Amino acid sequence: MPQRIDGSGETLRFTFEGREIAARAGDTIAAALIAAGETTTRASVVSGAPRGPFCMMGVCFECLVEVDGVPNRQACMIEAAAGMTVNRQKADEVAA
Amino acid sequence: MANRTVDLVVVGGGIHGCSAALHAAMRGLEVVVLEKDTVARHASGVNAGGVRRLGREFPEVPISQRSMEIWHRIGDLLDDDCGFQRAPQIKVAETEADLDRLKARAAHLRAMGFDHEVVLDRDELRGHLPAVSDHCVGGLASLDDGFALPYQTTFAFQRKARSLGVRFEENCRARTVERVGADFRVTTDRGVFTSRKLLNCGGAWAGEIARQLGEAVSVEPTAPMMLVTSRMPRFCNAVVGNQTRPLSFKQMQNGTVVIGGGRRGRALPDTNVSELIFSELRQTAETAMAIFPIMRGATIVRSWAGIEGRMPDGIPVISPSSTEEGAYHAFGFSSHGFQLGPGVGEIMGELVATGRTNAPIAPFSITRFTPEAGASGSSPTHSQGISA
Amino acid sequence: MKSYDVVVIGAGPAGMAAAVETSRAGLSTLVLDEQQRPGGQIYRDIEASDATRRGILGQDYQSGADLAAALRGSTAEYLPGAVVWNIDSAKQIDFSVRGGSQSVKAAHIVVATGAIERPTPMPGWTLPGVTTVGAVQILLKTSGVVLEDLVMVGSGPLLWLAATQMIAAGTPPKAIVETVPKARYRAAAKHLARAIPGWRYLAKGFAMIRAVKRAGVPVHRDAEEIAIDGVVAAEAVSFTSDGRRHRIETAHVALHQGVVPNQQITRLMNCEHRFDAGQRAFLPVVDASFETSVENVFVAGDGAGIGGARAAAMRGRLVAMRIAEKAGKPATDGREKLEAALRRDAAVRPLLEALYAPSEDVLSPADGTLVCRCEEITAGQIREAVALGAPGPNQVKSFLRAGMGPCQGRMCGLAVSEIIAAAKGEEPSSVDYYRIRPPLKPLLLSELAAFEPGEAPRAAAE
């Protein structure tokens, strides 16, 4: 399981697939999800296979999620904010 | 180093060069295609892929019809489906005035003897395009048109032609063409090629070849811009244009949406560079969102522009040379040549092999740009927003 | 539209150093960076990091704090959260900030977008729970998050550094699976004498390896035929080492095969590139001052060839000096000293390149392995396209859609060039690379529709 090594940052909460996630101020959505044990962020638009954050620096686009209703957001580039509604990007929402 | 004299040298490895080479080979000719870059490097490989009879310039309609027949059995010709999908092509009218113009066009075509373009009223439009914006009042459709994958198509023409013995010389620019006795001599970066017949399919670069044959014409390099979105839920099964605003809009089988329609970037043919102009593409984005509100949630993944040649009157040159017997031209398709590829290739194959054709190509004669020549055929006017 | 003497893209060591220097020289300078705080990936979140985190991340990480402070203290405008999505030939830069796009003009552009990790196609590399080694470090730097039971796979200095940082954080990796073939050590040893001026790096390297050993982390050497097993997420890493098959169960795998220049911007701008056999990557062609073939476009830092963070900052300063000189500002002293320091700093590179060259496994993945993650294109499909006659990456892209997904080829480009080259029996230099088209990062259509670049649009098509 992932662990936090220090107590830096205030705690804030957002939801992911309806589950409440505790994040620290400054966490990206992807970091907060990984810290909470959630490694699957989207389904492949080609095969539907599960995918998760890979590069954490905005180049691989594997961590695409829907943030407050807007699809195709990079979870590793957006800082978590209190009250955000985050959902996995599902293949059937974006693919034929 | 001289090569053996062949029946035909084709200058240009776009869809027209490849299609003509294939059709010439099918008639038993020995053919070499000279391509300065790689096959399908420019507009033929990166156009919007529309296979459209709808809205053609009137002189193009008969050859567009013939080409469409070939498209409908393209797999038989090329052993490759080219990603071709039958789909309605629909031009949307946003106002009653637009719809009236579309109705007039349909009536004119019927008078010419063509009934493939049909007027759609408000409800019929929604039957085909459930996602269309409320304000659109109707449209004009050619129901049995479609779209294809441009690179796959041109590559398939090349492969089929190669399988029939056509030689492709890529990265081999034709520098000079000249008549030597009964033959043509083409000097390239990589040797000299001689042939009995010569076909100029040089696209944006065709003007120089024509000039060397003593037929100077103005070919303006253009770079029609396109953009593609990430995959979206299926909402559109037609290729959609617009009566007044430049638009070519289609959702591919994989859910991505390709939007083009004639807004132009910067074409720099000397360096093979085409540059996007986003202040122009912005209007393409606006138009797409106006016609399909669902596009407000779309994400652009990539944009591009292929370099293409445009004639002053917006229709191509499909013509025997007026100066050198045995030389022919098929270029300047002015951003709407993709659909014509199979049909014009067939015509050029026939012309090269037999010296004649019954196809109505008079309006496309290269002589229409010679001041003293009596203009043959009609003098069509270009309508805005044409694209492949 | 606002114009600047210098626009720096990226706020890592190279970008920060360049901006500090150009603004000091009196040139109007704008720094655009995608992240919310300066530092780049190497000094990611350096300002927010507390003593505990800095202790774990080490002395070299701490040195980024001075650069970040210098940037903050400079007259350069610093715009975080700015995603550059196009640059045209007139050096108009279009970028997105907080959901809206705007443009600036630059007389000089400093591309300081650094490096990305080399694509590592192998079976199972798309499973959730599999990340890059860089990702593991970023988790630690930005959030103080460490993964238990992490198995690190691949080779390179960054892998060993991340391992020692994990150890310092009290969660040593479960295992290291190193892909360096045994014969490589001998080949690399030839470069040892030349690497002596870089003794600091060598010492640090040996110290890292010792630390891993001391912590009792199992290290499997000369590993090949690596696969990550799992159905909906990573479950285990399998590989061959010491003549037998191993399987280590874990939910977290970190891959690494070195870093390569991020070419997106230099490709977009049609800068000339060459394939560097030592780094096994494409690099923009630059002169001694890191100016590209496009005038007044410079590449500072790893983007011009991998040199590491210290070199990146020095290159950033050199670039800035040259721009100041071109702009007619008085010459700054110290250029020769800087160049000498850069040469010393680079002494260790040939050894590292020889030792940590990418493994054959990722250079020529098996036919069934996914290479393009976005569009799920396999190595076998790429080879088939070549067999049909597709001559290069752009034709393979058009034919198969490889490189057409949202990552725009970043995660497959090098691998695709390598696979095509191998299939044709050529070098990657001759098959070249994807043409990069804007937008550099996906852009909402609605954002483009609202885009006001600040200039009257060109007359419409007719």
Side-chain angles (χ1 to χ4, degrees):
Chain A
M1 270 305 288
Q3 291 189 352
R4 301 267 185 180
I5 56 164
D6 52 28
S8 306
E10 292 165 46
T11 302
L12 56 89
R13 288 171 198 287
F14 68 94
T15 65
F16 177 67
E17 294 286 319
R19 177 191 161 191
E20 189 167 272
I21 305 285
R24 302 276 174 82
D27 278 356
T28 60
I29 294 171
L33 289 177
I34 290 174
E38 297 278 1
T39 53
T40 302
T41 43
R42 73 172 182 119
S44 153
V45 292
V46 179
S47 66
R51 297 289 180 87
F54 183 70
C55 74
M56 292 297 283
M57 55 181 270
V59 298
C60 78
F61 292 80
E62 290 289 12
C63 65
L64 295 180
V65 289
E66 197 185 283
V67 179
D68 294 333
V70 182
N72 293 309
R73 304 283 86 189
Q74 288 181 280
C76 76
M77 297 296 283
I78 301 173
E79 292 194 0
M84 262 181 177
T85 304
V86 180
N87 281 298
R88 288 195 179 105
Q89 184 134 316
K90 289 172 192 69
D92 57 1
E93 284 173 357
V94 287
Chain B
M1 74 180 162
N3 289 278
R4 189 174 73 251
T5 301
V6 296
D7 296 320
L8 172 66
V9 162
V10 179
V11 177
I15 189 168
H16 286 280
C18 291
S19 174
L22 168 64
H23 283 98
M26 285 163 63
R27 287 170 173 272
L29 270 58
E30 187 181 9
V31 185
V32 172
V33 177
L34 304 177
E35 164 54 50
K36 74 179 183 64
D37 298 301
T38 51
V39 162
R41 163 71 175 82
H42 297 289
S44 296
V46 295
N47 63 69
V51 177
R52 173 179 63 82
R53 290 175 294 177
L54 180 72
R56 289 265 160 201
E57 301 290 347
F58 294 125
E60 290 178 350
V61 172
I63 44 178
S64 178
Q65 288 280 44
R66 172 63 192 136
S67 213
M68 203 67 227
E69 288 168 22
I70 304 177
W71 274 108
H72 282 144
R73 50 171 186 77
I74 197 80
D76 297 342
L77 179 68
L78 302 180
D79 311 321
D80 187 307
D81 67 11
C82 299
F84 174 68
Q85 298 285 330
R86 278 181 194 235
Q89 288 261 357
I90 300 173
K91 203 172 249 212
V92 170
E94 293 186 85
T95 64
E96 290 296 341
D98 287 351
L99 190 56
D100 287 345
R101 276 188 282 276
L102 291 175
K103 283 175 179 167
R105 175 180 165 90
H108 186 103
L109 271 176
R110 271 197 306 280
M112 285 172 68
F114 297 106
D115 58 3
H116 60 282
E117 293 190 14
V118 293
V119 174
L120 305 177
D121 67 19
R122 206 184 155 81
D123 290 343
E124 288 166 332
L125 179 69
R126 278 158 188 81
H128 288 290
L129 300 173
V132 80
S133 171
D134 276 348
H135 76 281
C136 299
V137 296
L140 185 67
S142 179
L143 297 174
D144 214 9
D145 287 4
F147 58 92
L149 295 172
Y151 178 76
Q152 185 180 333
T153 301
T154 307
F155 189 33
F157 269 106
Q158 178 194 22
R159 296 205 317 277
K160 183 69 185 189
R162 189 184 269 151
S163 76
L164 297 183
V166 174
R167 223 169 99 202
F168 284 84
E169 296 289 344
E170 296 179 274
N171 302 305
C172 183
R173 182 194 286 261
R175 297 271 171 199
T176 59
V177 298
E178 60 198 315
R179 167 77 82 181
V180 177
D183 294 339
F184 293 96
R185 182 160 74 189
V186 184
T187 306
T188 75
D189 298 335
R190 297 195 285 111
V192 172
F193 295 81
T194 56
S195 61
R196 284 173 272 279
K197 302 280 172 64
L198 179 75
L199 173 58
N200 174 18
C201 293
W205 296 264
E208 174 59 21
I209 303 293
R211 191 192 62 75
Q212 292 185 23
L213 292 170
E215 299 172 285
V217 288
S218 154
V219 184
E220 182 199 356
T222 64
M225 298 189 288
M226 278 147 279
L227 53 86
V228 63
T229 71
S230 56
R231 285 166 164 83
M232 299 183 68
R234 178 141 298 278
F235 67 92
C236 179
N237 291 311
V239 184
V240 180
N242 185 288
Q243 165 58 14
T244 46
R245 313 198 237 185
L247 180 70
S248 159
F249 181 102
K250 72 179 71 67
Q251 186 169 27
M252 308 304 285
Q253 286 303 103
N254 61 24
T256 60
V257 175
V258 175
I259 314 172
R263 295 207 182 267
R264 295 199 232 148
R266 281 179 208 102
L268 305 167
D270 294 344
T271 50
N272 282 345
V273 168
S274 60
E275 187 166 64
L276 284 298
I277 301 173
F278 279 92
S279 51
E280 283 284 303
L281 268 179
R282 181 179 67 82
Q283 301 172 61
T284 301
E286 268 176 3
T287 306
M289 291 189 343
I291 306 295
F292 291 108
I294 189 178
M295 294 304 291
R296 288 180 186 284
T299 306
I300 305 165
V301 178
R302 193 172 53 262
S303 62
W304 68 95
I307 299 179
E308 158 68 334
R310 189 191 141 79
M311 303 310 295
D313 56 4
I315 62 167
V317 172
I318 305 168
S319 172
S321 164
S322 61
T323 52
E324 294 291 351
E325 201 182 334
Y328 299 88
H329 302 285
F331 64 85
F333 285 83
S334 309
S335 310
H336 54 276
F338 182 62
Q339 189 269 350
L340 297 175
V344 173
E346 186 183 59
I347 294 168
M348 299 322 290
E350 184 187 15
L351 263 176
V352 167
T354 69
R356 53 182 304 281
T357 178
N358 289 327
I361 58 170
F364 309 102
S365 171
I366 194 163
T367 59
R368 72 185 191 270
F369 300 109
T370 331
E372 64 272 24
S376 48
S378 62
S379 56
T381 50
H382 174 64
S383 70
Q384 196 184 29
I386 278 177
S387 82
Chain C
M1 190 181 312
K2 260 188 120 166
S3 292
Y4 291 86
D5 296 325
V6 185
V7 174
V8 178
I9 304 166
M16 292 191 290
V20 167
E21 204 75 31
T22 56
S23 55
R24 187 180 292 156
L27 299 170
S28 62
T29 302
L30 171 68
V31 181
L32 300 172
D33 188 54
E34 287 184 353
Q35 297 298 335
Q36 301 302 327
R37 289 171 290 279
Q41 302 307 331
I42 191 79
Y43 302 135
R44 184 86 181 257
D45 256 346
I46 182 71
E47 295 172 329
S49 181
D50 62 12
T52 319
R53 233 177 259 180
R54 287 191 191 191
I56 288 167
L57 291 164
Q59 193 62 43
D60 285 349
Y61 176 70
Q62 286 212 44
S63 62
D66 296 341
L67 272 173
L71 175 68
R72 295 283 191 187
S74 76
T75 57
E77 279 178 55
Y78 162 60
L79 190 51
V83 180
V84 171
W85 54 263
N86 189 36
I87 306 176
D88 72 10
S89 52
K91 300 192 181 66
Q92 176 183 319
I93 300 168
D94 305 327
F95 58 95
S96 174
V97 184
R98 289 181 296 278
S101 281
Q102 43 187 293
S103 305
V104 292
K105 274 221 160 116
H108 305 85
I109 293 176
V110 179
V111 181
T113 48
I116 60 174
E117 282 175 83
R118 177 188 300 280
T120 50
M122 61 177 68
W125 74 308
T126 55
L127 286 166
V130 181
T131 66
T132 64
V133 162
V136 169
Q137 271 200 314
I138 290 167
L139 271 175
L140 184 54
K141 289 172 185 170
T142 63
S143 300
V145 170
V146 286
L147 305 168
E148 286 189 327
D149 292 342
L150 180 71
V151 176
M152 306 177 91
V153 179
S155 76
L158 190 70
L159 187 149
W160 291 102
L161 175 62
T164 55
Q165 290 168 339
M166 299 276 301
I167 292 164
T171 49
K174 187 173 187 180
I176 291 177
V177 178
E178 204 195 32
T179 56
V180 179
K182 283 192 179 117
R184 282 265 189 79
Y185 285 94
R186 200 169 310 135
K190 278 185 246 164
H191 300 282
L192 201 51
R194 268 191 60 199
I196 298 299
W199 62 270
R200 279 188 66 251
Y201 288 109
L202 294 175
K204 186 179 175 186
F206 287 121
M208 291 190 304
I209 293 168
R210 268 199 312 278
V212 167
K213 203 169 265 177
R214 234 185 358 257
V217 176
V219 178
H220 300 269
R221 306 251 178 209
D222 199 3
E224 32 178 40
E225 294 165 343
I226 298 157
I228 298 140
D229 310 330
V231 181
V232 295
E235 293 168 15
V237 181
S238 303
F239 56 94
T240 304
S241 170
D242 289 330
R244 67 183 182 91
R245 204 74 190 143
H246 301 253
R247 187 171 193 274
I248 306 173
E249 290 192 6
T250 178
H252 296 289
V253 183
L255 307 177
H256 187 69
Q257 290 285 339
V259 296
V260 295
N262 178 355
Q263 313 170 64
Q264 301 298 113
I265 289 180
T266 48
R267 291 273 176 189
L268 173 73
M269 296 203 73
N270 295 305
C271 299
E272 272 176 46
H273 289 71
R274 65 183 178 87
F275 190 79
D276 185 276
Q279 299 190 14
R280 201 116 194 165
F282 288 98
L283 319 182
V285 175
V286 292
D287 68 10
S289 304
F290 299 94
E291 188 169 3
T292 67
S293 62
V294 178
E295 201 186 351
N296 294 330
V297 175
F298 295 77
V299 182
D302 276 353
I306 303 306
R310 279 168 53 88
M314 290 191 274
R315 290 178 186 180
R317 288 177 59 200
L318 266 182
V319 163
M321 287 178 185
R322 174 67 182 140
I323 291 173
E325 183 185 26
K326 286 188 98 168
K329 300 289 175 187
T332 340
D333 290 339
R335 195 187 171 90
E336 287 76 20
K337 235 174 107 180
L338 208 48
E339 283 171 339
L342 260 180
R343 272 194 301 277
R344 272 197 307 281
D345 197 82
V348 74
R349 288 286 142 192
L351 184 143
L352 292 179
E353 286 167 11
L355 186 59
Y356 294 130
S359 80
E360 272 308 304
D361 265 16
V362 302
L363 288 181
S364 53
D367 279 349
T369 302
L370 285 185
V371 174
C372 167
R373 300 170 61 105
C374 297
E375 294 291 330
E376 300 194 347
I377 307 299
T378 64
Q381 286 174 280
I382 295 164
R383 293 182 184 116
E384 277 170 36
V386 173
L388 281 174
N394 290 297
Q395 290 81 8
V396 165
K397 176 178 166 184
S398 294
F399 194 55
L400 296 175
R401 294 187 56 77
M404 280 198 182
C407 95
Q408 297 155 316
R410 289 170 174 86
M411 300 310 296
C412 69
L414 261 187
V416 167
S417 291
E418 290 274 5
I419 291 166
I420 295 171
K424 295 178 73 180
E426 294 176 11
E427 287 302 310
S429 55
S430 67
V431 305
D432 211 8
Y433 194 79
Y434 292 140
R435 275 188 291 281
I436 299 302
R437 297 298 203 173
L440 285 166
K441 293 234 168 150
L443 180 72
L444 281 171
L445 192 73
S446 55
E447 187 171 334
L448 175 59
F451 177 48
E452 295 287 353
E455 262 188 2
R458 238 170 61 118
E462 288 306 317

